[in-house]
Amino acid sequence: MIWKTKITQLLNLRYPLIMGAFGGWGKSEFASVFSNVGGLGIIAALNFPNLEDFKKDLQNMKSLTTKPFGVNLSLPHHILRDNEEGEKTRKRYLDYIEIALDENCHIFTTSGYKAAFIGKRVHEAGGLWFHKCVLIKHAVSAEKQGADGVTLVGLEGTGFKNPLTNTTLVNVTLGRKLLKIPIIAAGGIGDARGFLSALALGADAVCLGTALMATEECPVPKNIKEKWLQLDIFEESFHDKIYKYNVKNFMAPSTAIGHFEKLVPLQTLIEELITGATKILDSWGFDHDELNTLDP
Ligand SMILES: Cc1cc2nc3c(=O)[nH]c(=O)nc-3n(C[C@H](O)[C@H](O)[C@H](O)COP(=O)(O)O)c2cc1C
């Protein structure tokens, strides 16, 4: 099956799949596996406090894959103040951008706050800028500021939330009505049904975060990954962590972990997602070799 969406076309991807940004873990060894299986691997720049190490990791990425990949910068609000400290931080972020551009990376994802200054520089260099947010109103604002696409993270997802965060279903269906730019759906997606339904809701791709924690290649220590696989996602304390706004718990895996019983190779996870989605389409009587969402 050929998967044709605005995102696969724009980024030259085999599948409409984007790797989550992973603070601590999103480096070339892991990201290259994701790119090689047909999605967009993401290197989280802030994993490299030393810019020279960041450059080396980009070079390593290019030795591990010839497929497209992106660089993420996460911008927490408290370090982007309109003062000297904020100015210094913004300059530092732009240093990461320059290094990535130098290494011929032209796809950038940002998350958090006030990322337009990054988008501006990326566009000057002819690159693409995708912003990740949890509120539709922030996605509308990112579109106005020139973002080439947005990732909308629903309440089901892990990571930073806002007290007004809506579910993935609400974000994507209403986002589809309010936005012209491509949407990447994130939040709670961990199986073929979730993947396919996100496309049906109006997404042009899906971002996988927690699901990738259930892979052998994920560099999180094995004992922690095994512990996550044992989590009872229907238990009250787990529910509270995910669905109730609490900035401190932002690193808990999402309910997507409930789709996995054991660690699997990343390639197997993606193959199962894709063949599972194809089987569902078959069972519905879809008999084309190409799934094309370009014309809604
Ligand atoms: C271990 C881990 C680390 C993460 N680190 C970041 C980060 O540094 N920046 C960011 O924007 N999102 C981060 N996220 C969130 C993911 O990029 C993604 O938006 C989220 O996991 C999607 O929801 P899901 O987990 O339900 O798939 C992280 C997620 C996990 C599981």
Side-chain angles (χ1 to χ4, degrees), residues 28-267:
S28 58
E29 296 289 333
F30 188 27
S32 59
V33 186
F34 197 80
S35 287
N36 282 334
V37 295
L40 186 78
I42 298 287
I43 294 178
L46 300 184
N47 285 329
F48 303 94
N50 181 327
L51 292 175
E52 198 47 43
D53 291 341
F54 175 53
K55 191 177 181 65
K56 278 189 196 140
D57 199 60
L58 292 171
Q59 289 167 349
N60 193 40
M61 184 74 175
K62 290 189 292 182
S63 74
L64 296 172
T65 185
T66 53
K67 304 280 192 240
F69 68 93
V71 162
N72 168 265
L73 280 156
S74 301
L75 298 88
H77 61 96
H78 53 272
I79 57 162
L80 282 169
R81 298 194 178 114
D82 267 338
N83 56 18
E84 202 182 318
E85 188 202 355
E87 193 53 46
K88 220 169 118 189
T89 309
R90 283 189 286 275
K91 196 187 157 302
R92 173 89 179 153
Y93 276 56
L94 288 172
D95 289 343
Y96 283 106
I97 300 288
E98 290 312 319
I99 288 175
L101 290 171
D102 259 8
E103 291 300 328
N104 224 7
C105 172
H106 286 92
I107 303 170
F108 293 88
T109 69
T110 51
S111 22
Y113 298 82
K114 292 189 181 175
F117 73 100
I118 290 180
K120 185 169 171 279
R121 175 65 194 112
V122 168
H123 284 157
E124 277 165 12
L128 293 167
W129 166 47
F130 296 86
H131 186 61
K132 179 164 79 178
C133 40
V134 295
L135 297 189
I136 295 176
K137 71 173 181 182
H138 293 158
V140 169
S141 155
E143 180 176 76
K144 282 193 187 129
Q145 289 173 332
D148 297 292
V150 281
T151 300
L152 270 166
V153 190
L155 193 57
E156 300 94 317
T158 193
F160 286 105
K161 303 251 177 81
N162 179 292
L164 299 181
T165 301
N166 269 306
T167 58
T168 303
L169 182 146
V170 173
N171 269 351
V172 181
T173 51
L174 285 178
R176 185 69 291 153
K177 290 204 165 126
L178 297 170
L179 297 160
K180 290 192 185 66
I181 53 176
I183 297 175
I184 300 160
I189 299 167
D191 75 338
R193 287 191 186 280
F195 163 64
L196 199 55
S197 62
L199 297 184
L201 295 177
D204 302 286
V206 157
C207 166
L208 298 174
T210 294
L212 303 186
M213 301 292 110
T215 64
E216 286 169 2
E217 293 89 342
C218 169
V220 170
K222 198 170 173 201
N223 62 324
I224 297 179
K225 291 191 286 188
E226 301 278 8
K227 218 168 116 191
W228 286 348
L229 287 171
Q230 301 306 318
L231 284 169
D232 179 357
I233 62 160
F234 302 112
E235 208 246 319
E236 191 173 349
S237 66
F238 184 90
H239 187 277
D240 287 353
K241 267 190 196 161
I242 292 299
Y243 296 113
K244 295 197 178 145
Y245 179 69
N246 180 350
V247 90
K248 278 191 197 142
N249 285 327
F250 71 94
M251 266 326 168
S254 78
T255 48
I257 203 72
H259 291 290
F260 302 93
E261 281 166 10
K262 59 179 174 56
L263 299 177
V264 290
L266 203 151
Q267 178 156 2

